[in-house]
Amino acid sequence: MGMGNLAKMAQQMQADMARAQQELDELRVEGSAGGGVVKAVVSGKLDIVSIAIDPEVVDPDDLDDLQDLVVAAVADAQTLSLIHISEPTRR
């Protein structure tokens, strides 16, 4: 294998990595909790993109349950994102 082939392989690997990085940046996965009353969207990098809360579940006297639902929705979205990016077909 010559130096030219090695350089081409390195360039191809860089392009593949850039493409994979772009896909992770653009990926959005939604998780939910409480039957969908709290939803969280995360990126392929597991960054929280958005959180939506059904106003019907907001009880000022019981914020602990709402906070638990938010944590559960974010965890669900992150788990689904990890599953999505680790699928063999994505490689």
Side-chain angles (χ1 to χ4, degrees), residues 51-84:
I51 294 179
I53 300 171
D54 184 333
E56 296 289 319
V57 300
V58 179
D59 179 358
D61 297 326
D62 188 15
L63 291 179
D64 288 339
D65 284 345
L66 179 57
Q67 291 166 342
D68 290 344
L69 288 172
V70 170
V71 170
V74 170
D76 184 45
Q78 289 174 328
T79 299
L80 292 171
S81 182
L82 286 171
I83 290 169
H84 184 79

Side-chain angles (χ1 to χ4, degrees), residues 17-29 42-47 49 81-82 84-86 90:
M17 289 297 290
R19 188 171 29 259
Q21 192 69 35
Q22 180 77 21
E23 287 176 14
L24 288 177
D25 288 342
E26 294 173 358
L27 177 66
R28 298 293 182 263
V29 179
V42 300
S43 71
K45 292 181 174 182
L46 305 181
D47 295 327
V49 176
S81 182
L82 286 171
H84 184 79
I85 62 177
S86 66
R90 301 257 318 141

